[in-house]
């Protein structure tokens, strides 16, 4: 049996949980929560990092900080996780979906200008699979129109674009430490703030709408209710676990890179025969190798492959149902959404088992099973012309 994902222990995670208990503080913002935030600020060049209970919580905080007025619009891809849109919709913003680039499956920056209206307030690029969006272009568009940029870097922790860490480029960035991501603590996240104007209000929103952080710093002599907010502080238990992994940032990254490169090498013959397409990483991007996906020629072949693997105990999974086709997408998005690349991709993508502790022998097993299934297929008449060879 080869699962799609397996949570892992890489170092001192459990020891640090015990240590958090002995330090006598397992609620929020203790030793380990502060240590995680500081590590991200120092290593990734982020102005201020606030640890949160999830990436969804971080996106919600960013959405509150955007201060939307009724009718305001937010630009984002349809090919993404629900939270990318829901965090903004619950603050009253209207999602405007933009198509993706066929090479990275990230938002197509060349289509953003055309989606901007006088109601547009923000752009939410999603760094799919840990490969950066074209951030120079996106920031230039945002500057020109006075928009805020919120990077959904849930999958982009420890990846970079032109040498800058994902999450450090937009006004805000959001990280996830969900057990399916690269660095994990069960459920967890972080809000990255790169524009100092937002730091003080972010601290208040995170702490139930109180100015308790200012009180802790001795800036006010009592704390009180000063704004809207919620409980967006993670447990110290989760931060202790996460810190055990962040200490091994590079070790974990190197293993993921090796897994990715093994898949690439072993799948090359199938790609050369035009049976599938491999993912593509532009030169400007240093990936964190968050996932390994392949694109099949059709939904039929993808489903046959997925079922065939499952029959051999290998779990490979598809990904997002595009949000513009969802019930909430219909309710809150525009009526006419023409997203040909998103529609064309839908049904062709398959994600392969990928986790820190996967053995090389298991990767070989996955690829052998894929080869058997795909070479045993007579190409159905419904399928189009053979796939173009690998995008370089
Ligand atoms: C995982 C993920 C999220 C949500 O992260 P949580 O920590 O589970 O809230 C948001 N956006 C993207 C693109 C994701 O992959």
């Amino acid at each position: 049996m080869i699962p799609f994902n397996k949570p892992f222990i890489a170092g001192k995670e459990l020891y640090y949980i015990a240590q958090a208990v002995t330090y006598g503080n397992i609620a929020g913002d203790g030793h380990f929560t502060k240590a995680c935030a500081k590590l991200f600020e120092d290593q990734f060049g982020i102005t201020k990092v606030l640890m949160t209970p999830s990436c969804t919580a971080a996106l919600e905080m960013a959405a509150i900080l955007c201060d939307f007025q009724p009718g305001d619009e937010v630009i984002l891809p349809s090919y993404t996780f629900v939270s990318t849109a829901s965090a903004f919709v619950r603050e009253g913003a209207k999602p405007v979906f933009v198509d993706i680039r066929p090479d990275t499956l990230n938002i197509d920056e060349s289509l953003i200008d055309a989606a901007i209206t006088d109601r547009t307030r923000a752009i939410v690029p999603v760094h799919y699979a840990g490969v950066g969006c074209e951030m120079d272009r996106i920031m230039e568009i945002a500057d020109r129109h006075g928009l805020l940029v919120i990077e959904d870097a849930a999958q982009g922790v420890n990846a970079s674009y032109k040498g800058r860490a994902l999450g450090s480029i937009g006004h805000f960035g959001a990280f996830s430490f969900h057990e399916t991501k690269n660095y994990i603590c069960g459920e967890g996240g972080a809000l990255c703030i790169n524009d100092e104007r937002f730091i003080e209000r972010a601290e208040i929103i995170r702490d139930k709408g109180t100015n308790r952080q200012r009180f802790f710093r001795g800036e006010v002599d009592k704390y009180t209710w000063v704004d809207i907010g919620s409980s967006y502080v993670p447990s110290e238990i989760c931060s202790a676990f996460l810190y055990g992994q962040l200490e091994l940032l590079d070790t974990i990254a190197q293993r993921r890179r090796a897994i990715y490169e093994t898949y690439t090498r072993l799948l090359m013959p199938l790609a050369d025969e035009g049976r599938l397409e491999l993912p593509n990483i532009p030169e400007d991007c240093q990936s964190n190798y968050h996932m390994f996906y392949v694109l099949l020629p059709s939904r039929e072949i993808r489903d046959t492959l997925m079922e065939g693997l499952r029959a051999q105990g290998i779990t490979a999974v598809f990904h997002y149902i595009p949000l513009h086709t969802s019930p909430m997408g219909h309710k809150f998005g525009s009526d006419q959404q023409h997203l040909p690349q998103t529609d064309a991709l839908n049904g062709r993508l398959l994600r392969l088992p990928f986790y820190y502790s996967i053995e090389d022998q298991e990767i070989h097993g996955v690829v052998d099973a894929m080869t058997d299934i795909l070479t045993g297929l007579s190409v159905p008449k419904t399928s189009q012309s053979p796939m173009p060879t690998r995008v370089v």
Side-chain angles (χ1 to χ4, degrees), residues 326-338:
S326 70
M328 289 294 272
H330 285 301
K331 185 167 172 190
F332 290 103
S334 301
D335 296 338
Q336 303 273 318
Q337 289 271 263
H338 183 58

Side-chain angles (χ1 to χ4, degrees), residues 47-124:
T47 309
K48 181 76 181 176
V49 173
L50 298 176
M51 303 304 292
T52 60
S54 66
C55 177
T56 302
L59 290 167
E60 288 178 9
M61 286 180 65
I64 295 170
L65 289 160
C66 287
D67 223 352
F68 295 113
Q69 303 305 311
D72 283 350
E73 297 174 359
V74 172
I75 289 173
L76 73 165
S78 167
Y79 186 69
T80 182
F81 188 64
V82 172
S83 302
T84 318
S86 72
F88 293 87
V89 166
R90 64 199 287 293
E91 290 304 312
K94 174 185 159 141
V96 174
F97 298 114
V98 166
D99 213 355
I100 49 176
R101 294 164 47 137
D103 59 346
T104 57
L105 315 186
N106 283 334
I107 192 166
D108 186 339
E109 66 283 353
S110 72
L111 302 176
I112 292 177
D113 262 313
I116 291 176
T117 71
D118 55 4
R119 298 316 309 266
T120 308
R121 292 293 315 285
I123 307 172
V124 192

Side-chain angles (χ1 to χ4, degrees), residues 4-66:
F4 172 67
N5 181 60
K6 235 188 230 180
F8 65 100
I9 301 268
K12 295 188 187 160
E13 291 90 331
L14 299 179
Y15 172 75
Y16 286 151
I17 287 178
Q19 203 168 59
V21 176
T22 62
Y23 284 165
N25 172 17
I26 56 172
D29 284 336
H31 171 84
F32 287 105
T33 306
K34 287 186 181 136
C36 289
K38 181 158 187 343
L39 188 144
F40 285 130
E41 288 166 2
D42 293 348
Q43 300 232 6
F44 295 164
I46 299 165
T47 309
K48 181 76 181 176
V49 173
L50 298 176
M51 303 304 292
T52 60
S54 66
C55 177
T56 302
L59 290 167
E60 288 178 9
M61 286 180 65
I64 295 170
L65 289 160
C66 287

Side-chain angles (χ1 to χ4, degrees), residues 52-59 79-84 126-129 152-156 174-181 186-190 290-291 319-320:
T52 60
S54 66
C55 177
T56 302
L59 290 167
Y79 186 69
T80 182
F81 188 64
V82 172
S83 302
T84 318
V126 178
H127 304 300
Y128 188 67
D152 183 339
Q155 302 175 17
F175 288 159
S176 176
F177 312 112
H178 183 263
E179 70 165 7
T180 53
K181 302 301 202 286
E187 300 276 358
H290 171 62
M291 79 170 76
H319 220 176
Y320 311 125

